[in-house]
Amino acid sequence: MREALGSYVNRVRELAEHVKGNEQATKQSLIGPLFTLLGYDLTDPRQCIPEYRVDFGKERSVKPIDWAFLQSSRPIFFVEAKEAGRKLAGFDEQLADYFAKAPEAKLGILTNGIQWRFFTDMVNENVMDKEPFVQWDVLIDEQPPLDFLTVLQRSEYNSGLLRTFAQRTRQQNLLVQELARLLEPAPEFTKLAVARIETRNLTTAVVESWKPIVANAINEWAKQRALASVLETQSRISALPEEPQVNRVETTQEELNAFATVQRLLGTERPIAYEDSVSYFKIHLHERRTAVFCRLLAGRKKPCVWVPLPSERVLPMAASLPVTVPQLGWSCITMDSIDELDKLGDILRASHDHVKSALRGKAAEPIDGGGTAV
């Protein structure tokens, strides 16, 4: 299924621009193929009924829902579709109406083929929650929600299992938010942590510039401690000595310095974080690690930066640096040295704001898709 989802993501990235503003084309080219991938036959009325309508009474006329998916002749989830490019905010009310009318349906899906929002009734039974328990932006998120889509497959679908998944996901999201609040380094802690590293006076601005670096360092320390604990436990229960595991990902000082530069260029009003990988150094929105707005490829003769913006938008801000298109929806700016990051402030701010807006379903202006570095 992972490979099939990869092919589907590439399809959306290739076709999204071609179906903007056309709901029927969006359904046929972007939305329908996902359900086909999940094992549903959209042409079989025993599985799926388009333009599904229920009786809301004479005094209230409600438009039909785009799709009702059935099991044993009863709806198990509803899908409300909009054309690609349309903002989804405000369109969940109709979905909630149908959700409330079918107690056995425990899933409502709102999508424009690019952004997907999955709702259930965790707060009040048979009342669709105001917030989705899973969101997926095909053009921005680095990975699809594979665990949830596995549960959504026709061969696996079970309303009880879906609610359990939704409950755990909601609890996890709440816990992540609380941990983020608790682990957000206070200025006093940040000062203490960098006192022997930072040579400048520890002014408020300097301390603020260090805060995201300290937060990521705490996260990395926690991961290393967890790994050390696992290895220690294994060594105690194993009769034979084992070679220590080697972490292939090594965050260099050059990457940390580059992150600090990006943070300085963005300012404190645009909080960010990073996640290192074997292939490249990812810089993402502080609140969502899959919302990557900058990929840094350092440690090479000519370092480069990838941003999810079309080349025609990047070129005027590139300060005469070379700009190429390595993948649909992404632009690559090549530098002679990492010090030239200082020239990319406008690009980095535009990329951050674009990803932030798209994450909220409020894209400021259309762009050409997105992609994943390989």
Side-chain angles (χ1 to χ4, degrees):
M1 182 177 176
R2 189 184 299 273
E3 292 183 2
L5 277 173
S7 298
Y8 171 76
V9 168
N10 290 333
R11 175 189 178 89
V12 174
R13 289 170 177 164
E14 292 173 4
L15 301 181
E17 283 295 316
H18 299 282
V19 299
K20 274 191 173 179
N22 188 319
E23 184 175 315
Q24 290 304 316
T26 299
K27 291 178 183 178
Q28 294 175 8
S29 301
L30 305 188
I31 301 174
L34 178 63
F35 291 108
T36 300
L37 183 158
L38 296 175
Y40 297 93
D41 184 351
L42 274 67
T43 66
D44 186 344
R46 295 168 298 181
Q47 297 183 30
C48 175
I49 299 180
E51 298 298 310
Y52 183 82
R53 186 189 296 272
V54 297
D55 183 11
F56 284 88
K58 296 180 179 179
E59 297 181 356
R60 186 160 182 235
S61 175
V62 177
K63 294 180 180 179
I65 205 80
D66 287 293
W67 281 298
F69 285 79
L70 312 178
Q71 192 176 75
S72 301
S73 301
R74 301 179 71 84
I76 52 174
F77 65 86
F78 298 108
V79 178
E80 178 63 15
K82 299 300 174 186
E83 66 268 25
R86 174 69 72 90
K87 299 176 184 179
L88 295 180
F91 285 108
D92 50 0
E93 182 178 348
Q94 181 183 357
L95 188 61
D97 285 337
Y98 277 83
F99 191 95
K101 198 69 175 179
E104 63 275 17
K106 295 301 178 184
L107 177 66
I109 303 174
L110 178 62
T111 181
N112 60 10
I114 299 172
Q115 287 91 30
W116 292 75
R117 295 162 62 90
F118 301 92
F119 299 85
T120 188
D121 57 348
M122 297 307 305
V123 178
N124 296 300
E125 191 171 1
N126 298 330
V127 178
M128 195 179 84
D129 297 334
K130 293 183 178 180
E131 295 296 328
F133 66 91
V134 169
Q135 297 187 69
W136 179 27
D137 190 310
V138 182
L139 301 186
I140 291 180
D141 291 345
E142 297 246 323
Q143 297 293 336
L146 180 61
D147 290 347
F148 171 67
L149 294 176
T150 300
V151 174
L152 188 56
Q153 291 181 102
R154 183 169 182 265
S155 60
E156 303 291 334
Y157 189 89
N158 177 283
S159 60
L161 180 61
L162 184 139
R163 281 183 58 80
T164 299
F165 180 92
Q167 183 177 30
R168 290 180 178 177
T169 301
R170 181 173 181 268
Q171 291 172 339
Q172 177 178 303
N173 291 339
L174 291 173
L175 182 57
V176 167
Q177 293 172 14
E178 185 63 16
L179 288 175
R181 184 187 67 82
L182 293 173
L183 294 177
E184 179 70 22
E188 294 76 14
F189 179 83
T190 302
K191 285 182 181 180
L192 181 64
V194 305
R196 298 177 61 182
I197 303 173
E198 178 59 73
T199 58
R200 296 172 292 177
N201 291 331
L202 294 179
T203 63
T204 300
V206 170
V207 172
E208 284 295 321
S209 71
W210 272 101
K211 283 180 67 176
I213 302 175
V214 172
N216 279 286
I218 293 173
N219 182 53
E220 183 63 27
W221 174 83
K223 288 191 293 185
Q224 291 178 7
R225 285 295 299 270
L227 176 60
S229 177
V230 171
L231 293 176
E232 182 180 357
T233 302
Q234 288 178 340
S235 67
R236 289 177 178 176
I237 64 175
S238 175
L240 297 175
E242 297 183 1
E243 294 185 2
Q245 297 183 15
V246 178
N247 187 0
R248 295 179 61 199
V249 179
E250 180 181 354
T251 303
T252 65
Q253 188 60 49
E254 182 182 43
E255 290 171 328
L256 291 175
N257 292 341
F259 177 80
T261 298
V262 174
Q263 172 63 36
R264 172 171 54 80
L265 292 171
L266 295 182
T268 57
E269 68 275 13
R270 294 181 176 90
I272 60 174
Y274 72 80
E275 180 180 356
D276 206 353
S277 69
V278 176
S279 303
Y280 52 87
F281 184 83
K282 299 187 290 187
I283 305 179
H284 57 82
L285 302 188
H286 186 269
E287 65 269 28
R288 186 167 177 178
R289 67 181 183 84
T290 58
V292 177
F293 71 91
C294 172
R295 293 172 179 156
L296 173 67
L297 285 77
R300 51 174 63 189
K301 187 175 181 180
K302 285 186 175 292
C304 59
V305 168
W306 285 32
V307 292
L309 295 172
S311 59
E312 59 268 22
R313 184 173 177 187
V314 172
L315 278 168
M317 301 183 285
S320 299
L321 294 174
V323 177
T324 57
V325 181
Q327 194 165 347
L328 182 66
W330 287 82
S331 296
C332 172
I333 307 98
T334 302
M335 304 171 286
D336 289 326
S337 76
I338 205 71
D339 294 335
E340 291 189 307
L341 265 177
D342 272 309
K343 298 180 179 180
L344 306 184
D346 289 341
I347 294 175
L348 292 168
R349 285 186 288 271
S351 180
H352 179 283
D353 293 348
H354 162 71
V355 172
K356 183 78 171 180
S357 296
L359 189 62
R360 292 175 174 171
K362 301 177 180 179
E365 49 187 281
I367 69 163
D368 297 330
T372 301
V374 293

